[in-house]
Amino acid sequence: MTIKVGEVISVSGIKVTLRIDEDSSRETMFFNGEKYKGVSIREFLSIQRGFRNIVCIVEGEYLDESRVDTVDGKVSYIRKVDARPIGYFENNKFFEGIKFLPMIKDPAALLPEGDIVAIFSRGVQSDFVIGKMLKEDIPISLPWHKLFNSHMGIFGNTGSGKSNTLTKIFTVLFEKKSAVMVGKSKFIFLDFNGEYTGNQFVDAAQKTIMNLVSLNDPVDQFPLSDSEFWDADTFSILFQATPNTQKPFLSRLVTGRRRFLDRPNSLHNYVKSIFRKIFSAASPKAETLELALRIAALIGSQPLAALLSTVNYNRQTASFFIAPRSYFGADGATYDEHLLPLVNAIDLGQLDSFDELILRAHLQLCRDLIAGYVQFEYIQPLLKRIEASLTNLRKVLTVENAPAEERLLTVISMRRCHSDVKKILPLLIAKHFYNAHKRDAENPPTRTIHLVIDEAHNILSQQSAREHESWRDYRLDLFEEIIKEGRKFGVFLTVSSQRPADISPTVISQLHNFFIHRLVNDRDLFLINNTISTLDNVSKGMIPTLGRGACVVTGTAFDIPMVLQINMLERERQPDSEDVDLQRIWANDQ
Ligand SMILES: Nc1ncnc2c1ncn2[C@@H]1O[C@H](COP(=O)(O)OP(=O)(O)O)[C@@H](O)[C@H]1O
Ligand SMILES: [Mg+2]
C-alpha cells in the first residue's frame, strides 16, 4: 500500500517535476501503521514506473501561479516540486544511481520510513550506529567495512561537534570490534589538546596513553630505536635542515658513525683523530678552534677547555699557537706535547644519544672544514638549531632499542609541548609507525594502522609563513605519501580540522569519506565544494546552517550523501573539550 501524492508533469534532463495534490502537505502522517513524512525539501518520493519504484529526493518546491483552477469560485494553486532521482527499488531491493527515469503521468507516492532505512543502510548487516538521520530521526547503520579501510576527514568550525563525532566513530568501532582487532590493527591518536587522555574510546587496560611534555618537567617519552634516530631523514626533519648543504652534512655524519660503530671506543677515537687534524692541518681553519672549545665544554673536560683557551690563531701565517710562540705545525709535535695527553684522558662514559649527536655534529663540521667541503656559515646555523631543539626534544623522546609494548590503542597527547615540538613530533611518530608497518606489510595487507589526527591543521596546514620553505616539504611529503600510498599497505588516516581550506589540497583530495559539520567560512565552503565530488547541492547548501553534532556524511562508503545528527557520547566517554565554563569559574561561592 502506498499513499499517492501526485504525478509527474515534466522530466527534463535528470530534473523531474511533479504536481502534488494539495492535501498531502502535512509533516508526518501514519497509514496502515507505517510512518510517512510529508512532501518537503530533502524528503523522498517514490515514483512508480512499471514494476520498479524510482526514488527521488525533493530539491525544490513552489506554487505555479500561472495555472489557477477555479472550482466553485475558489482559487487554488498548483503545488509543484522539483526532484532528482537517486536510485530505484526492484524486488524490494534498493539500487543506487540513475538508471531509470520516470515519465509524465507516472504516479508518485510517499516513501515509508522502512524504505528510507533500506536506502541508507543498504548492504549493511551489522549494527554500526553513530547517529540518526537529522530529519527523519531514524538511526542509520554505517558500512564500517568500507569506512575504516579509507582515509576520513571530519571538518567543521570550532564547537560544531568534530571531536564528539570522531570519538563516537571510534568508540562504536571498539565496542563492536576491539576483541577481534588485537594483534591485527593499531590505532594511534595524535592529540594536540589533551582531549583524549581520559576514559575515551576503551578502558584503560587496552590503551597506552603517552603524555609528552616539553613545557614543564618531562612525563613520558616517545621511544625511537637507535637506527630510527640515527637517520639523516629524521635529523633533517628534527632540525629543519636545508636540502642542499645541511642534509648532505647530516648524511655524512650518520654514515660516518655507522662505519665505525662496531669498533671499540669508536667515538673517542673519532675525537682524537679530529683534534689531531685540527691542530696539525696543513692550512688550519680559524673556526675549528671555536668548535674545539665547544667540544671540550660538551665533553666536560675542564683541563682541555683551559688549555684551548690559551690557543690563538695567527691570521697572517694562518696557524694556531700557544702564547707566546709555540706554533702548531703539520708535524704534530706541538699537538703531541700539549694537547694529546688531555685528549687521551677524555671520558665519554655518560653521553646519551642526544649529546653524542651534538658532539658528532661539531666533529663532523671540523672535519669538513679542514677538508674544504663546506663553508662554516652554511652549517653553523644547523649546529645551533640542533642544540636548541634538543633541549626540548630530549624531554619527549628517548632512543632505546627495547620494543615498546603493543596495545590496540595509543593516545599521544602533546598538549603541554612547545609549538615547534607539536609540529615535529607528529611527523616522527607517523614516520615511526608508517615505515615499520610498510617494511613488514604483506600483500594484501593482513594488518592495519589507523592514524587519527584531531586538529590536523596544526601539522597539515599549507600556509605557515613562519616556517622555512624547505622544512615544510618534509612534513607534507610524509603525510602526502601516507595518504597516497598508505592504503596499499593498510595505513589509514583520519584527520579532523576546523579549517579545511588551510590543509594541503593533496591531502584533502585523497580523502575518501567525509563528515562535514557546520562550516561558514567562504574559503572552506569553496574547497568543500570543489574537492568532494560525492556531495550534492542540497546537502552542500545545508553545511553553513547545521546545528551542533549534525553533519553531512558522504564519500565512497556511502551511495548517497546523508545528514546525520551524531549521538552525544555518555559523559565519561566524551572528549575533554577545552571549553571554559565561566559559570562555574565565576560562580558565587557561598
Ligand atoms: N552530537 C552532538 N549532540 C549534541 N551536542 C554536541 C554534539 N557534539 C558536540 N556537542 C556539543 O558541542 C560542544 C563542542 O563539541 P566538540 O566535539 O568539542 O566540537 P569541536 O571538536 O568541533 O570543537 C561540546 O561541548 C558538546 O557539548
Ligand atoms: Mg575538537
PDB file of all heavy atoms in Angstrom, residues 304-330:
ATOM      1  N   LEU A 304      91.140  20.383  29.252  1.00  0.00           N
ATOM      2  CA  LEU A 304      91.219  20.615  27.809  1.00  0.00           C
ATOM      3  C   LEU A 304      90.701  22.009  27.468  1.00  0.00           C
ATOM      4  O   LEU A 304      91.312  22.761  26.690  1.00  0.00           O
ATOM      5  CB  LEU A 304      90.411  19.531  27.077  1.00  0.00           C
ATOM      6  CG  LEU A 304      90.444  19.568  25.559  1.00  0.00           C
ATOM      7  CD1 LEU A 304      91.882  19.455  25.046  1.00  0.00           C
ATOM      8  CD2 LEU A 304      89.591  18.450  24.963  1.00  0.00           C
ATOM      9  N   ALA A 305      89.557  22.355  28.072  1.00  0.00           N
ATOM     10  CA  ALA A 305      88.976  23.677  27.822  1.00  0.00           C
ATOM     11  C   ALA A 305      89.947  24.773  28.247  1.00  0.00           C
ATOM     12  O   ALA A 305      90.133  25.767  27.539  1.00  0.00           O
ATOM     13  CB  ALA A 305      87.654  23.815  28.563  1.00  0.00           C
ATOM     14  N   ALA A 306      90.591  24.577  29.397  1.00  0.00           N
ATOM     15  CA  ALA A 306      91.513  25.585  29.919  1.00  0.00           C
ATOM     16  C   ALA A 306      92.685  25.782  28.966  1.00  0.00           C
ATOM     17  O   ALA A 306      93.046  26.916  28.629  1.00  0.00           O
ATOM     18  CB  ALA A 306      92.010  25.166  31.301  1.00  0.00           C
ATOM     19  N   LEU A 307      93.222  24.675  28.476  1.00  0.00           N
ATOM     20  CA  LEU A 307      94.368  24.809  27.579  1.00  0.00           C
ATOM     21  C   LEU A 307      93.963  25.452  26.255  1.00  0.00           C
ATOM     22  O   LEU A 307      94.653  26.335  25.728  1.00  0.00           O
ATOM     23  CB  LEU A 307      95.011  23.446  27.323  1.00  0.00           C
ATOM     24  CG  LEU A 307      96.281  23.575  26.472  1.00  0.00           C
ATOM     25  CD1 LEU A 307      97.424  24.164  27.297  1.00  0.00           C
ATOM     26  CD2 LEU A 307      96.702  22.252  25.874  1.00  0.00           C
ATOM     27  N   LEU A 308      92.815  25.012  25.741  1.00  0.00           N
ATOM     28  CA  LEU A 308      92.375  25.546  24.441  1.00  0.00           C
ATOM     29  C   LEU A 308      92.151  27.055  24.510  1.00  0.00           C
ATOM     30  O   LEU A 308      92.317  27.763  23.521  1.00  0.00           O
ATOM     31  CB  LEU A 308      91.086  24.848  23.981  1.00  0.00           C
ATOM     32  CG  LEU A 308      91.267  23.416  23.475  1.00  0.00           C
ATOM     33  CD1 LEU A 308      89.916  22.767  23.211  1.00  0.00           C
ATOM     34  CD2 LEU A 308      92.122  23.385  22.212  1.00  0.00           C
ATOM     35  N   SER A 309      91.759  27.536  25.690  1.00  0.00           N
ATOM     36  CA  SER A 309      91.507  28.976  25.785  1.00  0.00           C
ATOM     37  C   SER A 309      92.809  29.783  25.703  1.00  0.00           C
ATOM     38  O   SER A 309      92.763  30.993  25.532  1.00  0.00           O
ATOM     39  CB  SER A 309      90.733  29.296  27.066  1.00  0.00           C
ATOM     40  OG  SER A 309      91.528  28.967  28.169  1.00  0.00           O
ATOM     41  N   THR A 310      93.942  29.122  25.789  1.00  0.00           N
ATOM     42  CA  THR A 310      95.207  29.848  25.625  1.00  0.00           C
ATOM     43  C   THR A 310      95.720  29.777  24.190  1.00  0.00           C
ATOM     44  O   THR A 310      96.737  30.356  23.854  1.00  0.00           O
ATOM     45  CB  THR A 310      96.299  29.280  26.557  1.00  0.00           C
ATOM     46  OG1 THR A 310      96.619  27.948  26.129  1.00  0.00           O
ATOM     47  CG2 THR A 310      95.850  29.263  28.001  1.00  0.00           C
ATOM     48  N   VAL A 311      94.990  29.036  23.357  1.00  0.00           N
ATOM     49  CA  VAL A 311      95.421  28.913  21.958  1.00  0.00           C
ATOM     50  C   VAL A 311      94.874  30.095  21.158  1.00  0.00           C
ATOM     51  O   VAL A 311      93.745  30.541  21.378  1.00  0.00           O
ATOM     52  CB  VAL A 311      94.927  27.576  21.359  1.00  0.00           C
ATOM     53  CG1 VAL A 311      95.288  27.486  19.882  1.00  0.00           C
ATOM     54  CG2 VAL A 311      95.508  26.399  22.122  1.00  0.00           C
ATOM     55  N   ASN A 312      95.698  30.622  20.264  1.00  0.00           N
ATOM     56  CA  ASN A 312      95.272  31.721  19.397  1.00  0.00           C
ATOM     57  C   ASN A 312      95.494  31.370  17.942  1.00  0.00           C
ATOM     58  O   ASN A 312      96.184  30.401  17.625  1.00  0.00           O
ATOM     59  CB  ASN A 312      96.071  32.987  19.718  1.00  0.00           C
ATOM     60  CG  ASN A 312      95.698  33.536  21.066  1.00  0.00           C
ATOM     61  OD1 ASN A 312      94.569  33.926  21.304  1.00  0.00           O
ATOM     62  ND2 ASN A 312      96.677  33.521  21.977  1.00  0.00           N
ATOM     63  N   TYR A 313      94.909  32.202  17.107  1.00  0.00           N
ATOM     64  CA  TYR A 313      95.050  31.983  15.665  1.00  0.00           C
ATOM     65  C   TYR A 313      95.783  33.171  15.073  1.00  0.00           C
ATOM     66  O   TYR A 313      95.386  34.326  15.290  1.00  0.00           O
ATOM     67  CB  TYR A 313      93.663  31.845  15.038  1.00  0.00           C
ATOM     68  CG  TYR A 313      93.686  31.524  13.561  1.00  0.00           C
ATOM     69  CD1 TYR A 313      94.114  30.274  13.113  1.00  0.00           C
ATOM     70  CD2 TYR A 313      93.270  32.458  12.620  1.00  0.00           C
ATOM     71  CE1 TYR A 313      94.128  29.972  11.764  1.00  0.00           C
ATOM     72  CE2 TYR A 313      93.277  32.157  11.269  1.00  0.00           C
ATOM     73  CZ  TYR A 313      93.709  30.910  10.845  1.00  0.00           C
ATOM     74  OH  TYR A 313      93.722  30.620   9.520  1.00  0.00           O
ATOM     75  N   ASN A 314      96.855  32.926  14.367  1.00  0.00           N
ATOM     76  CA  ASN A 314      97.587  33.995  13.705  1.00  0.00           C
ATOM     77  C   ASN A 314      97.073  34.126  12.280  1.00  0.00           C
ATOM     78  O   ASN A 314      97.254  33.239  11.451  1.00  0.00           O
ATOM     79  CB  ASN A 314      99.085  33.671  13.726  1.00  0.00           C
ATOM     80  CG  ASN A 314      99.910  34.782  13.109  1.00  0.00           C
ATOM     81  OD1 ASN A 314      99.424  35.544  12.269  1.00  0.00           O
ATOM     82  ND2 ASN A 314     101.167  34.880  13.525  1.00  0.00           N
ATOM     83  N   ARG A 315      96.421  35.237  12.014  1.00  0.00           N
ATOM     84  CA  ARG A 315      95.771  35.384  10.708  1.00  0.00           C
ATOM     85  C   ARG A 315      96.788  35.512   9.575  1.00  0.00           C
ATOM     86  O   ARG A 315      96.555  35.063   8.467  1.00  0.00           O
ATOM     87  CB  ARG A 315      94.843  36.596  10.695  1.00  0.00           C
ATOM     88  CG  ARG A 315      93.702  36.425  11.668  1.00  0.00           C
ATOM     89  CD  ARG A 315      92.413  37.097  11.256  1.00  0.00           C
ATOM     90  NE  ARG A 315      91.366  36.581  12.140  1.00  0.00           N
ATOM     91  CZ  ARG A 315      90.595  35.564  11.834  1.00  0.00           C
ATOM     92  NH1 ARG A 315      90.686  34.983  10.660  1.00  0.00           N
ATOM     93  NH2 ARG A 315      89.707  35.116  12.689  1.00  0.00           N
ATOM     94  N   GLN A 316      97.932  36.198   9.900  1.00  0.00           N
ATOM     95  CA  GLN A 316      98.935  36.370   8.847  1.00  0.00           C
ATOM     96  C   GLN A 316      99.496  35.030   8.355  1.00  0.00           C
ATOM     97  O   GLN A 316      99.529  34.764   7.165  1.00  0.00           O
ATOM     98  CB  GLN A 316     100.098  37.233   9.352  1.00  0.00           C
ATOM     99  CG  GLN A 316     100.011  38.664   8.858  1.00  0.00           C
ATOM    100  CD  GLN A 316      99.925  39.622  10.041  1.00  0.00           C
ATOM    101  OE1 GLN A 316     100.685  39.477  11.004  1.00  0.00           O
ATOM    102  NE2 GLN A 316      99.039  40.581   9.957  1.00  0.00           N
ATOM    103  N   THR A 317      99.902  34.195   9.321  1.00  0.00           N
ATOM    104  CA  THR A 317     100.509  32.928   8.911  1.00  0.00           C
ATOM    105  C   THR A 317      99.478  31.813   8.823  1.00  0.00           C
ATOM    106  O   THR A 317      99.799  30.687   8.459  1.00  0.00           O
ATOM    107  CB  THR A 317     101.567  32.485   9.935  1.00  0.00           C
ATOM    108  OG1 THR A 317     100.936  32.353  11.207  1.00  0.00           O
ATOM    109  CG2 THR A 317     102.700  33.485  10.027  1.00  0.00           C
ATOM    110  N   ALA A 318      98.209  32.147   9.161  1.00  0.00           N
ATOM    111  CA  ALA A 318      97.143  31.143   9.183  1.00  0.00           C
ATOM    112  C   ALA A 318      97.571  29.907   9.970  1.00  0.00           C
ATOM    113  O   ALA A 318      97.640  28.802   9.433  1.00  0.00           O
ATOM    114  CB  ALA A 318      96.712  30.771   7.763  1.00  0.00           C
ATOM    115  N   SER A 319      97.890  30.118  11.243  1.00  0.00           N
ATOM    116  CA  SER A 319      98.265  28.965  12.058  1.00  0.00           C
ATOM    117  C   SER A 319      97.895  29.202  13.525  1.00  0.00           C
ATOM    118  O   SER A 319      97.723  30.335  13.963  1.00  0.00           O
ATOM    119  CB  SER A 319      99.763  28.681  11.920  1.00  0.00           C
ATOM    120  OG  SER A 319     100.478  29.886  12.107  1.00  0.00           O
ATOM    121  N   PHE A 320      97.771  28.082  14.248  1.00  0.00           N
ATOM    122  CA  PHE A 320      97.451  28.154  15.665  1.00  0.00           C
ATOM    123  C   PHE A 320      98.730  28.210  16.488  1.00  0.00           C
ATOM    124  O   PHE A 320      99.747  27.596  16.109  1.00  0.00           O
ATOM    125  CB  PHE A 320      96.661  26.914  16.096  1.00  0.00           C
ATOM    126  CG  PHE A 320      95.283  26.850  15.510  1.00  0.00           C
ATOM    127  CD1 PHE A 320      94.898  25.765  14.718  1.00  0.00           C
ATOM    128  CD2 PHE A 320      94.353  27.850  15.753  1.00  0.00           C
ATOM    129  CE1 PHE A 320      93.637  25.695  14.185  1.00  0.00           C
ATOM    130  CE2 PHE A 320      93.091  27.777  15.223  1.00  0.00           C
ATOM    131  CZ  PHE A 320      92.726  26.704  14.430  1.00  0.00           C
ATOM    132  N   PHE A 321      98.668  28.939  17.624  1.00  0.00           N
ATOM    133  CA  PHE A 321      99.832  28.932  18.510  1.00  0.00           C
ATOM    134  C   PHE A 321      99.380  29.129  19.948  1.00  0.00           C
ATOM    135  O   PHE A 321      98.311  29.690  20.213  1.00  0.00           O
ATOM    136  CB  PHE A 321     100.830  30.027  18.115  1.00  0.00           C
ATOM    137  CG  PHE A 321     100.292  31.432  18.312  1.00  0.00           C
ATOM    138  CD1 PHE A 321     100.624  32.162  19.456  1.00  0.00           C
ATOM    139  CD2 PHE A 321      99.455  32.025  17.372  1.00  0.00           C
ATOM    140  CE1 PHE A 321     100.128  33.459  19.641  1.00  0.00           C
ATOM    141  CE2 PHE A 321      98.958  33.313  17.554  1.00  0.00           C
ATOM    142  CZ  PHE A 321      99.294  34.031  18.689  1.00  0.00           C
ATOM    143  N   ILE A 322     100.227  28.613  20.860  1.00  0.00           N
ATOM    144  CA  ILE A 322     100.025  28.889  22.278  1.00  0.00           C
ATOM    145  C   ILE A 322     100.981  30.011  22.628  1.00  0.00           C
ATOM    146  O   ILE A 322     102.176  29.937  22.292  1.00  0.00           O
ATOM    147  CB  ILE A 322     100.330  27.653  23.143  1.00  0.00           C
ATOM    148  CG1 ILE A 322      99.422  26.485  22.729  1.00  0.00           C
ATOM    149  CG2 ILE A 322     100.124  27.961  24.626  1.00  0.00           C
ATOM    150  CD1 ILE A 322      99.699  25.195  23.488  1.00  0.00           C
ATOM    151  N   ALA A 323     100.471  31.065  23.244  1.00  0.00           N
ATOM    152  CA  ALA A 323     101.299  32.235  23.505  1.00  0.00           C
ATOM    153  C   ALA A 323     102.508  31.823  24.356  1.00  0.00           C
ATOM    154  O   ALA A 323     102.362  30.930  25.224  1.00  0.00           O
ATOM    155  CB  ALA A 323     100.478  33.295  24.234  1.00  0.00           C
ATOM    156  N   PRO A 324     103.692  32.395  24.226  1.00  0.00           N
ATOM    157  CA  PRO A 324     103.946  33.438  23.236  1.00  0.00           C
ATOM    158  C   PRO A 324     104.176  32.882  21.818  1.00  0.00           C
ATOM    159  O   PRO A 324     103.681  33.436  20.873  1.00  0.00           O
ATOM    160  CB  PRO A 324     105.211  34.116  23.766  1.00  0.00           C
ATOM    161  CG  PRO A 324     105.884  33.051  24.585  1.00  0.00           C
ATOM    162  CD  PRO A 324     104.803  32.163  25.121  1.00  0.00           C
ATOM    163  N   ARG A 325     104.916  31.797  21.627  1.00  0.00           N
ATOM    164  CA  ARG A 325     105.164  31.418  20.234  1.00  0.00           C
ATOM    165  C   ARG A 325     105.360  29.915  20.036  1.00  0.00           C
ATOM    166  O   ARG A 325     106.217  29.475  19.278  1.00  0.00           O
ATOM    167  CB  ARG A 325     106.325  32.211  19.638  1.00  0.00           C
ATOM    168  CG  ARG A 325     107.620  32.253  20.465  1.00  0.00           C
ATOM    169  CD  ARG A 325     108.659  33.144  19.808  1.00  0.00           C
ATOM    170  NE  ARG A 325     108.270  34.553  19.784  1.00  0.00           N
ATOM    171  CZ  ARG A 325     107.794  35.201  18.717  1.00  0.00           C
ATOM    172  NH1 ARG A 325     107.621  34.569  17.578  1.00  0.00           N
ATOM    173  NH2 ARG A 325     107.504  36.475  18.795  1.00  0.00           N
ATOM    174  N   SER A 326     104.521  29.086  20.738  1.00  0.00           N
ATOM    175  CA  SER A 326     104.550  27.644  20.429  1.00  0.00           C
ATOM    176  C   SER A 326     103.573  27.372  19.292  1.00  0.00           C
ATOM    177  O   SER A 326     102.378  27.220  19.532  1.00  0.00           O
ATOM    178  CB  SER A 326     104.128  26.802  21.638  1.00  0.00           C
ATOM    179  OG  SER A 326     104.902  27.108  22.736  1.00  0.00           O
ATOM    180  N   TYR A 327     104.068  27.355  18.080  1.00  0.00           N
ATOM    181  CA  TYR A 327     103.194  27.157  16.930  1.00  0.00           C
ATOM    182  C   TYR A 327     102.884  25.684  16.711  1.00  0.00           C
ATOM    183  O   TYR A 327     103.720  24.825  16.923  1.00  0.00           O
ATOM    184  CB  TYR A 327     103.823  27.766  15.673  1.00  0.00           C
ATOM    185  CG  TYR A 327     103.508  29.241  15.578  1.00  0.00           C
ATOM    186  CD1 TYR A 327     104.311  30.178  16.241  1.00  0.00           C
ATOM    187  CD2 TYR A 327     102.393  29.686  14.881  1.00  0.00           C
ATOM    188  CE1 TYR A 327     104.011  31.515  16.199  1.00  0.00           C
ATOM    189  CE2 TYR A 327     102.097  31.032  14.821  1.00  0.00           C
ATOM    190  CZ  TYR A 327     102.898  31.944  15.480  1.00  0.00           C
ATOM    191  OH  TYR A 327     102.596  33.259  15.438  1.00  0.00           O
ATOM    192  N   PHE A 328     101.623  25.421  16.305  1.00  0.00           N
ATOM    193  CA  PHE A 328     101.248  24.052  15.949  1.00  0.00           C
ATOM    194  C   PHE A 328     101.648  23.826  14.499  1.00  0.00           C
ATOM    195  O   PHE A 328     101.251  24.594  13.627  1.00  0.00           O
ATOM    196  CB  PHE A 328      99.743  23.847  16.075  1.00  0.00           C
ATOM    197  CG  PHE A 328      99.270  23.786  17.501  1.00  0.00           C
ATOM    198  CD1 PHE A 328      98.878  24.942  18.179  1.00  0.00           C
ATOM    199  CD2 PHE A 328      99.225  22.566  18.176  1.00  0.00           C
ATOM    200  CE1 PHE A 328      98.436  24.885  19.489  1.00  0.00           C
ATOM    201  CE2 PHE A 328      98.791  22.514  19.494  1.00  0.00           C
ATOM    202  CZ  PHE A 328      98.390  23.662  20.157  1.00  0.00           C
ATOM    203  N   GLY A 329     102.437  22.799  14.271  1.00  0.00           N
ATOM    204  CA  GLY A 329     102.879  22.553  12.896  1.00  0.00           C
ATOM    205  C   GLY A 329     102.293  21.265  12.365  1.00  0.00           C
ATOM    206  O   GLY A 329     101.683  20.482  13.103  1.00  0.00           O
ATOM    207  N   ALA A 330     102.470  21.077  11.056  1.00  0.00           N
ATOM    208  CA  ALA A 330     101.914  19.909  10.391  1.00  0.00           C
ATOM    209  C   ALA A 330     102.571  18.619  10.877  1.00  0.00           C
ATOM    210  O   ALA A 330     102.022  17.532  10.705  1.00  0.00           O
ATOM    211  CB  ALA A 330     102.068  20.042   8.869  1.00  0.00           C
TER     212      ALA A 330
END
